[in-house]
Structures are given as structure tokens and as C-alpha cells.
Amino acid sequence: MANNISNSLDVAVVGGGQAGLAIGYFLAQQGTNFAILEAADEPAAAWRSRWDSLKLFTPARYDGLPGLAFPGDPDRYPSQGEVADYLTDYARRFELPVVLNSRVRSIRKAGQEYAVELDDRTYEAAQVVIATGPFQVPFVPAIAEGLDEEVVQLHSTAYRSPEPLPDGRILIVGGGNTGFQIAEELSASREVHLSIGSRQMPLPQKLLGRDLFWYLDKTGLIRKTAASRIGRRMRQREDTLIGSNPRGARRRGIQLHGRAVDAAGSTVSFSDGAGLDIRGVVWATGFRADHSWIDVPVFDEAGGVVHERGVTTSPGLYFLGLPWQHTRGSALLGWVKDDAEFLAQKIQALRADAPTPETEIAGAK
Ligand SMILES: Cc1cc2nc3c(=O)[nH]c(=O)nc-3n(C[C@H](O)[C@H](O)[C@H](O)COP(=O)(O)OP(=O)(O)OC[C@H]3O[C@@H](n4cnc5c(N)ncnc54)[C@H](O)[C@@H]3O)c2cc1C
């Protein structure tokens, strides 16, 4: 990982996950003076912190970043640990300037440049790419506060394996891929209940022997833009369950409930009025974005990023890896390269337009 990084950069990339590394690959090819600032003390931190038994829903052939195929059988589904190792190797192999232990606390405009402030240093960067991931602050619904202390509560980000959870009845709240997968794992050793607030469309992992993503790739659906008619329809149904479904969950003995609407003592109640006494709960209730540390006016009233394919209205400030930034693939391992390459081209074009010291002096004459 990089040590000797100048405090004056052409480009500061904030976040060293797959999005930060993918754009790093293209910036390195351009010979740009850049650094990838990563808050964690190890590479691929997001993947390392996910639960131990997690298998990707995308096969290895669709898990590679630009310039390096994911190793091994292309039809297998890698584990989270393999993704973390792959990303670590990727940064090393392309000698990407990742600076660990570097949480960016604020970004603000300073003249023509951006001041990128950390606890112990400030970088001046002509351009900045925010690649801090789509999953920032774990969200737990307010009803959680009604539960007694004896009820063990975890957000899915803190779930690694079944052992730390108490024996007895466990409730998983959240009917997305994460909720289903954790419920399935726990059902081998516990009485498991799953609360599904809004139903997601279940899609099979494989159809006629081919992986779902093979069809999405071959039909071009994975690259349909957010603005296209079909993209808009897909986006409305964005949340899809891949490889899990309610019927399969019931077969494993998982008991399904509607939305969890209240909690008191050790009882959670559901939208149909039923109550359930539990020993533990895993909140698979998602995340909220937190861009409050970015002090540049590129957000709408609801806090959403205003951008066109990651390009904001503040010249030289970009986002990468947002869900549906451009297509369904934008926040996935195998397709983030499309947006990364697009932004790298924008960055290069702006650098070419930027006045050099010579042109500034000539202009002043
Ligand atoms: C449970 C789960 C399963 C998934 N399965 C798949 C799958 O099968 N296939 C697939 O293609 N995708 C999958 N994804 C989606 C996606 O690939 C991942 O979420 C991926 O981690 C997103 O990469 P990223 O680089 O955008 O963000 P992240 O991996 O979250 O990386 C962002 C990085 O930014 C750092 N950071 C954050 N804030 C700051 C700051 N202020 N300063 C400096 N650094 C900062 C973080 O430490 C982190 O390392 C899955 C996601 C989840 C949650």
C-alpha cells in the first residue's frame, strides 16, 4: 500500500472498495497523480466484514474488475473472503496508491480545487471521486428500542455466523437477499421466523442450466440505463431476491410474517396483529447513505446526489458505485468498470482543459 503520497493531487479517490480500485486502474493507465484514501486499516474492508458463509449471487465470470479476471472456475459463486483476497491482490498487482487508515472527514471547495480533510492531514485535489459505497450507515427501525435488554439484537452487518446468537427463537427482520440468506443459515440450528415488510420479486439463480446474470448480460438488460423505459421499470422493481424465495424458506421450516410494526419486552408484533416472543433478532433492514461530510452543494432536498452518470454540477466532483448510477450493473463487481472508465475519461478531459502554469502566465500577459 502507498506511503509517499504528495498532498497535492490531480485526483483524490475516496474509498478503496471495488469502485475506488476500478477507477484507480484507469487513472493509473493515464499516468494521473492520484491517491485512493481508504478509511479502514485493511483493503476490501466491506467484503471482509460480511458474514462468513456469504456466497456471491454473481458467478466468478462476472466478478472481475478491469484488467484481471476473477480466478478459478468462472461458473462458481465465490465467497466473501475470496472477493476480499481478489481485491487485495488487484490493488497490489496494479500498484494502486491505496492509503489505509485515511478516513476523509470533509470535502469542500477551496478556490479552483477541493480541500480533502482527514484528521491528521489535508489534500488539495483538482478532482475528487467519491467511491464510499452504497451501504454506509446500518439502518435499524425505531421499534427496536422497545425490546428488553435480554433480547439479543444485531444488525446484519454485525452478523458473522450463528454461534453468538442464543438458542431458541430468532426473528430476522427484512425480506431481501440478506434476510433470506441469514434466515436460511440459522434455520439449520434454530427456530427461525422471517418478517417480510415488502415482497421482493424472486428470481431463480439458474434457468435451463444458465446463470441469471448470463441472461441479463446476453440480453443487454444489465446495461439498460436508468433513464430508459425498461431501466425505469426495472428500477421500480429493483429489489430482487436471487436464489431464495418464500416457498423455499417455508420448506426449510422458516416461518414467514408480514411487516414488524411494534416491539415491547420480548415480543415483536406484525402488521396482521400477531405477536411473537423471541430470544434474538437480526435486523436485515438495510442502510442509509451518509454524505453529510461532503460540503459541496450537489444534493437535492432529500439528500440524494444530483448527478448525471456520476458527474455532479460541481466541476471535478464525481460519484462512483451508486446503485443505478447509470445501469443495474453500476454497483456490481463485474460492471462497475463501465462507469469507472466513463468517469476516468471525464477526468482526463478536464485535466486537459485545466490551465497549466504556462498558459496562466501567457493569459496574464
Ligand atoms: C450482502 C451483500 C452481498 C452482495 N453480493 C454481491 C454479489 O454477489 N455480486 C456483486 O457484484 N455485488 C454484490 N454486492 C453489491 C456490491 O458489489 C458491494 O456492496 C460492494 O461492496 C460495493 O463496492 P463499493 O466499492 O462501491 O463500496 P464498498 O465496498 O462499501 O467500499 C467503500 C469503501 O469506502 C470506504 N469509506 C467509506 N467512507 C469513507 C471515508 N469517508 N473516507 C475514506 N474511506 C471511506 C469504506 O471503508 C470502504 O472500504 C453485495 C452487497 C451486499 C451488502
Side-chain angles (χ1 to χ4, degrees), residues 21 34 118 166 195 241 274 289 291 325 346 354:
L21 298 181
F34 74 105
L118 285 68
S195 160
L241 263 179
H291 294 129
Q325 176 154 320
K346 292 278 168 200

Side-chain angles (χ1 to χ4, degrees), residues 14-16 36-42 45 99-104:
V14 187
I36 301 174
L37 306 172
E38 167 55 50
D41 60 3
E42 57 179 359
V99 194
L100 298 173
N101 297 304
S102 298
R103 176 169 294 280
V104 174

Side-chain angles (χ1 to χ4, degrees), residues 14-20 37-40 42 44-47 50-51 54-58 62-63 87 102-105 131-136 178 287 293 320-322 331-336:
V14 187
Q18 68 209 32
L37 306 172
E38 167 55 50
E42 57 179 359
W47 283 105
R50 290 176 182 151
W51 67 94
L54 170 64
K55 291 269 183 219
L56 295 193
F57 52 73
T58 44
Y62 299 120
D63 296 331
L87 295 178
S102 298
R103 176 169 294 280
V104 174
R105 297 289 180 191
T132 48
F135 304 117
Q136 285 143 3
T178 297
F287 299 82
W293 50 281
L320 181 61
L322 299 173
L332 296 179
L333 279 158
W335 290 273
V336 65

